[in-house]
Amino acid sequence: MSAETSPLSLPLELPNGSVLPNRLAKAAMTEGLADSRGYPSAELERLYARWGKSGCGLLITGNVLVDRHHLERPGNVVIDREPDADMRAALQRWATAAKAGGAKTWMQISHAGRQTAAIVNPQPLAPSAIALALPGKQFGTPVAMTEADIAATIERFAMAAEAAKAAGFDGVQIHAAHGYLLSAFLNPRANQRNDRWGGSLENRARMLLEVLKAVRARTGAGFTVAVKLNSADFQKGGFSFADSTQVAEWLTAAGIDLIEISGGNYEQPRMMDMEGVEKPDTSALQASTAAREAYFIDFAIEMQRKVSVPLMVTGGFRSAAAMTSAVSTAGVALIGLGRPLCVDTDCARKLLEGEQQTLDRWERQLQLGPGWLGPHSPFGLIRMLNGFGATYWYYQQFRHFGRGEKASLGLSVFSALLRELREQKRWLASARFPE
Ligand SMILES: Cc1cc2nc3c(=O)[nH]c(=O)nc-3n(C[C@H](O)[C@H](O)[C@H](O)COP(=O)(O)O)c2cc1C
């Protein structure tokens, strides 16, 4: 399909008047390239200068953490106090590099909650003191947040958003998906509080809505504020699709500019179509053709019947045909792309220009080994190591791009696992956050 006729090439105007040049967005992907103070580094700028030429009309950064004690991984950018001059300059350079090719750029802001790795914090704050049900000792038992913890966290989300705006980012995306703090508040399995922050859906959604309100108050009406939300957690007794639709309605009423639909958490990693991970069950929904590869699209179609806000769908999109059908027939506003951009950083441009019709599926090949060593191993720990190893393989590619190198396609998952573990330890040992 030519660039002129493809609906993917059409601009998108958001409710606040901001215009995205086309319908392809780089989804948030944690980079781990902050310096030892948690400030954006030259490597991060280089990576985004590259993605700035990806063809995507929107770049969403990897999660920037609003609390140094609740990193999603070592090497995250952290904004948890008023940025000093160095931090302001580094943030500005990051935004400038990303936007140089004409893409809008949003900063994703997050707090890892109970999904903070034990090497970062063995007793992280969370809605309730309920540990993740995962093998190994990667994550500690969390501590339930007090009212004061909650108020301070809301304030830090707002401060981080203000810093993003001041640095030249076009918007922020509040991360309320994948089991991190705001997603855990929504999840009745993780949130068993009996105060105004837990119990009914209205109470469980309060944290997210208060964060949104505080972010808006500090950034003003013209600044884009989006949310990444789970369509469901896909766990018995967890955050359901009915819950998600209701929360989307409340977010719309509260003036959100866009909702990105994803799903799952560390216990049920449905956000990633990987070997060994089951796809979400959509049998209760009307099936669209794009659903064969994009596993959350049928949730988005159903949700779009209830809310007027533009929806972005991320997860599994690999063909121009499915993306085009999602935008032109299913009414999806934006297509999120993750893993393909970790290998071929300008694959969106190739799709838009008709040079390529499908994107590579590296996720099908990345595994520790055959048989019991693979993602279908009978051993839970091995399955988990396959999951981490595949993700670390992408992280290694970011390091190559950050150094101005090409992707290292011959890298084994095992080597990626070892290298990343070493990098994480090194970063943690050198971390010196400013007071
Ligand atoms: C290396 C990597 C890092 C990721 N980091 C984040 C993140 O920081 N925030 C987030 O919301 N999702 C994150 N994700 C999930 C992606 O945004 C996306 O939802 C997922 O990769 C599915 O899309 P895809 O099939 O196009 O890869 C990450 C995914 C990968 C592969």
Side-chain angles (χ1 to χ4, degrees), residues 27-30 62-63 108 173 175 178 228 260 262 271-272 295 314-318 336-340 342 391 394-395 398:
M29 287 187 286
T30 178
N63 51 190
Q108 186 183 63
Q173 183 186 60
H175 195 354
H178 303 170
K228 187 162 183 169
E260 179 184 352
S262 187
M271 57 289 220
M272 302 284 205
Y295 32 95
T314 304
F317 277 108
R318 298 295 179 266
L337 294 175
R339 289 162 290 180
C342 303
T391 305
Y394 296 114
Y395 294 171
F398 298 161

CSV table of all heavy atoms in Angstrom, one decimal, residues 27-30 62-63 108 173 175 178 228 260 262 271-272 295 314-318 336-340 342 391 394-395 398, ligand 1:
chain,number,residue,atom,x,y,z
A,27,ALA,N,6.1,1.9,21.3
A,27,ALA,CA,5.6,1.7,22.6
A,27,ALA,C,6.7,1.9,23.6
A,27,ALA,O,7.9,1.8,23.3
A,27,ALA,CB,5.0,0.3,22.7
A,28,ALA,N,6.3,2.1,24.9
A,28,ALA,CA,7.3,2.3,25.9
A,28,ALA,C,8.2,1.0,26.1
A,28,ALA,O,7.7,-0.1,26.1
A,28,ALA,CB,6.7,2.6,27.3
A,29,MET,N,9.5,1.2,26.1
A,29,MET,CA,10.4,0.1,26.4
A,29,MET,C,11.5,0.6,27.3
A,29,MET,O,12.3,1.5,26.9
A,29,MET,CB,11.0,-0.5,25.1
A,29,MET,CG,9.9,-1.3,24.3
A,29,MET,SD,10.5,-2.1,22.9
A,29,MET,CE,10.7,-0.8,21.7
A,30,THR,N,11.6,0.0,28.4
A,30,THR,CA,12.6,0.4,29.4
A,30,THR,C,14.0,0.2,28.9
A,30,THR,O,14.3,-0.8,28.3
A,30,THR,CB,12.4,-0.4,30.7
A,30,THR,OG1,13.4,-0.1,31.7
A,30,THR,CG2,12.5,-2.0,30.5
A,62,GLY,N,10.7,4.6,27.6
A,62,GLY,CA,10.6,3.6,28.6
A,62,GLY,C,10.2,4.2,29.9
A,62,GLY,O,10.4,5.4,30.1
A,63,ASN,N,9.8,3.4,30.8
A,63,ASN,CA,9.3,4.0,32.1
A,63,ASN,C,10.4,4.8,32.8
A,63,ASN,O,11.5,4.3,33.0
A,63,ASN,CB,8.6,3.0,33.0
A,63,ASN,CG,9.4,1.7,33.3
A,63,ASN,OD1,8.9,0.8,33.9
A,63,ASN,ND2,10.7,1.7,32.9
A,108,GLN,N,7.0,8.1,29.6
A,108,GLN,CA,6.1,7.2,30.5
A,108,GLN,C,6.6,7.4,31.9
A,108,GLN,O,7.8,7.3,32.2
A,108,GLN,CB,6.2,5.8,30.0
A,108,GLN,CG,5.3,4.9,30.8
A,108,GLN,CD,5.4,3.4,30.5
A,108,GLN,OE1,6.4,2.8,30.7
A,108,GLN,NE2,4.3,2.9,29.9
A,173,GLN,N,2.8,9.6,29.7
A,173,GLN,CA,1.9,8.5,29.7
A,173,GLN,C,2.0,7.9,31.1
A,173,GLN,O,3.1,7.5,31.6
A,173,GLN,CB,2.3,7.4,28.7
A,173,GLN,CG,1.3,6.2,28.7
A,173,GLN,CD,1.7,5.1,27.9
A,173,GLN,OE1,2.7,4.5,28.0
A,173,GLN,NE2,0.8,4.7,26.9
A,175,HIS,N,1.8,5.1,33.6
A,175,HIS,CA,1.8,3.6,33.5
A,175,HIS,C,0.9,3.0,34.5
A,175,HIS,O,1.3,2.9,35.7
A,175,HIS,CB,3.2,3.1,33.6
A,175,HIS,CG,3.5,1.7,33.1
A,175,HIS,ND1,2.5,0.9,32.7
A,175,HIS,CD2,4.6,1.0,33.0
A,175,HIS,CE1,3.0,-0.3,32.3
A,175,HIS,NE2,4.3,-0.2,32.5
A,178,HIS,N,0.4,-3.7,33.5
A,178,HIS,CA,1.5,-4.7,33.7
A,178,HIS,C,1.9,-5.0,35.2
A,178,HIS,O,3.0,-5.5,35.4
A,178,HIS,CB,2.8,-4.3,32.9
A,178,HIS,CG,2.5,-4.1,31.5
A,178,HIS,ND1,3.4,-3.5,30.6
A,178,HIS,CD2,1.5,-4.4,30.7
A,178,HIS,CE1,3.0,-3.5,29.4
A,178,HIS,NE2,1.7,-4.0,29.4
A,228,LYS,N,-1.6,4.1,30.2
A,228,LYS,CA,-1.5,2.7,29.7
A,228,LYS,C,-2.2,1.8,30.7
A,228,LYS,O,-1.9,1.8,31.9
A,228,LYS,CB,0.0,2.3,29.5
A,228,LYS,CG,0.2,0.9,28.9
A,228,LYS,CD,1.6,0.7,28.4
A,228,LYS,CE,1.8,-0.6,27.6
A,228,LYS,NZ,3.1,-0.7,26.9
A,260,GLU,N,-3.9,3.7,26.1
A,260,GLU,CA,-3.2,2.5,25.5
A,260,GLU,C,-3.7,1.2,26.2
A,260,GLU,O,-3.6,1.1,27.4
A,260,GLU,CB,-1.7,2.7,25.5
A,260,GLU,CG,-1.0,1.5,24.8
A,260,GLU,CD,0.5,1.6,25.0
A,260,GLU,OE1,1.1,2.6,25.5
A,260,GLU,OE2,1.2,0.6,24.6
A,262,SER,N,-3.3,-2.6,27.0
A,262,SER,CA,-2.3,-3.7,27.0
A,262,SER,C,-2.9,-4.8,28.0
A,262,SER,O,-4.2,-4.8,28.1
A,262,SER,CB,-1.0,-3.2,27.5
A,262,SER,OG,0.0,-4.3,27.4
A,271,MET,N,1.3,-9.4,28.1
A,271,MET,CA,1.6,-8.2,27.3
A,271,MET,C,2.6,-8.7,26.2
A,271,MET,O,2.8,-8.0,25.2
A,271,MET,CB,2.2,-7.1,28.1
A,271,MET,CG,3.4,-7.4,28.9
A,271,MET,SD,3.0,-8.4,30.3
A,271,MET,CE,3.9,-7.8,31.6
A,272,MET,N,3.2,-9.8,26.4
A,272,MET,CA,4.2,-10.3,25.4
A,272,MET,C,3.8,-11.6,24.8
A,272,MET,O,3.5,-12.5,25.5
A,272,MET,CB,5.5,-10.6,26.2
A,272,MET,CG,6.1,-9.5,26.9
A,272,MET,SD,6.9,-8.4,25.8
A,272,MET,CE,8.0,-7.6,26.9
A,295,TYR,N,-3.2,-9.3,20.0
A,295,TYR,CA,-4.0,-10.0,20.9
A,295,TYR,C,-4.9,-9.2,21.8
A,295,TYR,O,-5.7,-9.7,22.6
A,295,TYR,CB,-3.2,-11.0,21.8
A,295,TYR,CG,-1.7,-10.6,22.0
A,295,TYR,CD1,-1.4,-9.9,23.2
A,295,TYR,CD2,-0.8,-10.7,21.0
A,295,TYR,CE1,-0.1,-9.5,23.4
A,295,TYR,CE2,0.5,-10.3,21.2
A,295,TYR,CZ,0.8,-9.7,22.4
A,295,TYR,OH,2.1,-9.2,22.6
A,314,THR,N,-1.4,-2.1,21.7
A,314,THR,CA,0.0,-2.6,21.5
A,314,THR,C,0.0,-4.0,21.8
A,314,THR,O,-0.7,-4.5,22.7
A,314,THR,CB,0.9,-1.8,22.5
A,314,THR,OG1,0.7,-0.4,22.3
A,314,THR,CG2,2.3,-2.2,22.4
A,315,GLY,N,0.9,-4.7,21.1
A,315,GLY,CA,1.1,-6.2,21.4
A,315,GLY,C,0.8,-7.0,20.2
A,315,GLY,O,-0.3,-7.3,19.9
A,316,GLY,N,1.9,-7.5,19.6
A,316,GLY,CA,1.8,-8.5,18.6
A,316,GLY,C,1.6,-8.0,17.1
A,316,GLY,O,1.8,-8.8,16.2
A,317,PHE,N,1.4,-6.7,16.9
A,317,PHE,CA,1.2,-6.2,15.6
A,317,PHE,C,2.5,-6.4,14.8
A,317,PHE,O,3.6,-6.0,15.1
A,317,PHE,CB,0.9,-4.7,15.5
A,317,PHE,CG,-0.5,-4.4,15.8
A,317,PHE,CD1,-1.0,-3.9,16.9
A,317,PHE,CD2,-1.5,-4.7,14.8
A,317,PHE,CE1,-2.3,-3.5,17.2
A,317,PHE,CE2,-2.8,-4.4,14.9
A,317,PHE,CZ,-3.2,-3.8,16.1
A,318,ARG,N,2.4,-7.2,13.7
A,318,ARG,CA,3.6,-7.4,12.8
A,318,ARG,C,3.3,-7.2,11.3
A,318,ARG,O,4.2,-7.2,10.6
A,318,ARG,CB,4.1,-8.9,13.0
A,318,ARG,CG,4.6,-9.1,14.5
A,318,ARG,CD,5.8,-8.3,14.9
A,318,ARG,NE,6.2,-8.6,16.2
A,318,ARG,CZ,5.8,-7.9,17.3
A,318,ARG,NH1,5.0,-6.9,17.2
A,318,ARG,NH2,6.2,-8.3,18.5
A,336,GLY,N,0.6,0.5,18.5
A,336,GLY,CA,1.9,0.5,19.3
A,336,GLY,C,2.8,-0.6,18.8
A,336,GLY,O,2.4,-1.7,18.6
A,337,LEU,N,4.1,-0.3,18.6
A,337,LEU,CA,5.1,-1.3,18.2
A,337,LEU,C,6.2,-1.3,19.2
A,337,LEU,O,6.7,-0.3,19.6
A,337,LEU,CB,5.7,-0.9,16.9
A,337,LEU,CG,4.8,-0.9,15.6
A,337,LEU,CD1,5.5,-0.4,14.4
A,337,LEU,CD2,4.2,-2.3,15.4
A,338,GLY,N,6.6,-2.5,19.6
A,338,GLY,CA,7.6,-2.7,20.6
A,338,GLY,C,8.8,-3.4,20.0
A,338,GLY,O,9.7,-2.8,19.4
A,339,ARG,N,8.8,-4.7,20.2
A,339,ARG,CA,10.0,-5.5,19.9
A,339,ARG,C,10.6,-5.4,18.4
A,339,ARG,O,11.8,-5.4,18.3
A,339,ARG,CB,9.7,-7.0,20.2
A,339,ARG,CG,9.7,-7.2,21.7
A,339,ARG,CD,9.0,-8.5,22.1
A,339,ARG,NE,7.6,-8.4,21.9
A,339,ARG,CZ,6.7,-9.4,22.1
A,339,ARG,NH1,7.2,-10.6,22.6
A,339,ARG,NH2,5.5,-9.3,21.9
A,340,PRO,N,9.7,-5.2,17.4
A,340,PRO,CA,10.3,-5.0,16.1
A,340,PRO,C,11.3,-3.8,16.0
A,340,PRO,O,12.3,-3.9,15.3
A,340,PRO,CB,9.2,-4.8,15.2
A,340,PRO,CG,8.0,-5.5,15.9
A,340,PRO,CD,8.3,-5.2,17.3
A,342,CYS,N,13.3,-2.9,18.3
A,342,CYS,CA,14.5,-3.2,19.1
A,342,CYS,C,15.6,-3.8,18.2
A,342,CYS,O,16.7,-3.9,18.6
A,342,CYS,CB,14.3,-4.3,20.2
A,342,CYS,SG,13.0,-3.8,21.4
A,391,THR,N,13.9,-11.0,27.1
A,391,THR,CA,13.8,-9.5,27.3
A,391,THR,C,15.2,-8.9,27.4
A,391,THR,O,15.5,-7.8,26.8
A,391,THR,CB,13.0,-9.3,28.6
A,391,THR,OG1,11.8,-10.0,28.5
A,391,THR,CG2,12.8,-7.8,28.9
A,394,TYR,N,16.8,-8.0,24.2
A,394,TYR,CA,16.4,-6.7,23.6
A,394,TYR,C,17.2,-5.6,24.3
A,394,TYR,O,17.7,-4.6,23.7
A,394,TYR,CB,14.9,-6.4,23.8
A,394,TYR,CG,14.1,-7.4,23.0
A,394,TYR,CD1,13.2,-8.3,23.6
A,394,TYR,CD2,14.1,-7.4,21.6
A,394,TYR,CE1,12.5,-9.2,22.9
A,394,TYR,CE2,13.3,-8.3,20.8
A,394,TYR,CZ,12.5,-9.2,21.5
A,394,TYR,OH,11.8,-10.1,20.8
A,395,TYR,N,17.4,-5.7,25.6
A,395,TYR,CA,18.1,-4.7,26.4
A,395,TYR,C,19.5,-4.6,25.8
A,395,TYR,O,20.1,-3.5,25.7
A,395,TYR,CB,18.2,-5.0,27.9
A,395,TYR,CG,17.0,-5.1,28.7
A,395,TYR,CD1,17.0,-5.6,30.0
A,395,TYR,CD2,15.8,-4.6,28.2
A,395,TYR,CE1,15.8,-5.6,30.8
A,395,TYR,CE2,14.6,-4.6,28.9
A,395,TYR,CZ,14.7,-5.2,30.2
A,395,TYR,OH,13.5,-5.2,31.0
A,398,PHE,N,19.7,-2.4,22.9
A,398,PHE,CA,19.6,-0.9,23.2
A,398,PHE,C,21.0,-0.4,23.6
A,398,PHE,O,21.4,0.7,23.2
A,398,PHE,CB,18.7,-0.7,24.4
A,398,PHE,CG,17.3,-1.0,24.2
A,398,PHE,CD1,16.4,-1.2,25.3
A,398,PHE,CD2,16.8,-1.2,23.0
A,398,PHE,CE1,15.1,-1.6,25.2
A,398,PHE,CE2,15.4,-1.6,22.8
A,398,PHE,CZ,14.6,-1.7,23.9
B,1,LIG,C1,12.6,-4.7,26.0
B,1,LIG,C2,11.2,-4.3,26.4
B,1,LIG,C3,11.0,-3.3,27.4
B,1,LIG,C4,9.7,-2.9,27.8
B,1,LIG,N1,9.5,-1.9,28.7
B,1,LIG,C5,8.2,-1.4,28.9
B,1,LIG,C6,8.1,-0.2,29.7
B,1,LIG,O1,9.0,0.4,30.2
B,1,LIG,N2,6.8,0.2,29.8
B,1,LIG,C7,5.7,-0.5,29.3
B,1,LIG,O2,4.6,0.0,29.5
B,1,LIG,N3,5.9,-1.6,28.5
B,1,LIG,C8,7.1,-2.0,28.3
B,1,LIG,N4,7.3,-3.1,27.5
B,1,LIG,C9,6.1,-3.7,26.8
B,1,LIG,C10,5.9,-3.0,25.4
B,1,LIG,O3,5.5,-1.6,25.5
B,1,LIG,C11,4.8,-3.7,24.6
B,1,LIG,O4,3.6,-3.6,25.3
B,1,LIG,C12,5.1,-5.2,24.3
B,1,LIG,O5,6.5,-5.3,23.9
B,1,LIG,C13,4.2,-5.8,23.3
B,1,LIG,O6,4.3,-5.1,22.1
B,1,LIG,P1,5.1,-5.8,20.8
B,1,LIG,O7,4.5,-7.1,20.5
B,1,LIG,O8,5.0,-4.9,19.7
B,1,LIG,O9,6.5,-6.0,21.3
B,1,LIG,C14,8.5,-3.5,27.1
B,1,LIG,C15,8.8,-4.5,26.2
B,1,LIG,C16,10.1,-4.9,25.8
B,1,LIG,C17,10.3,-5.9,24.7
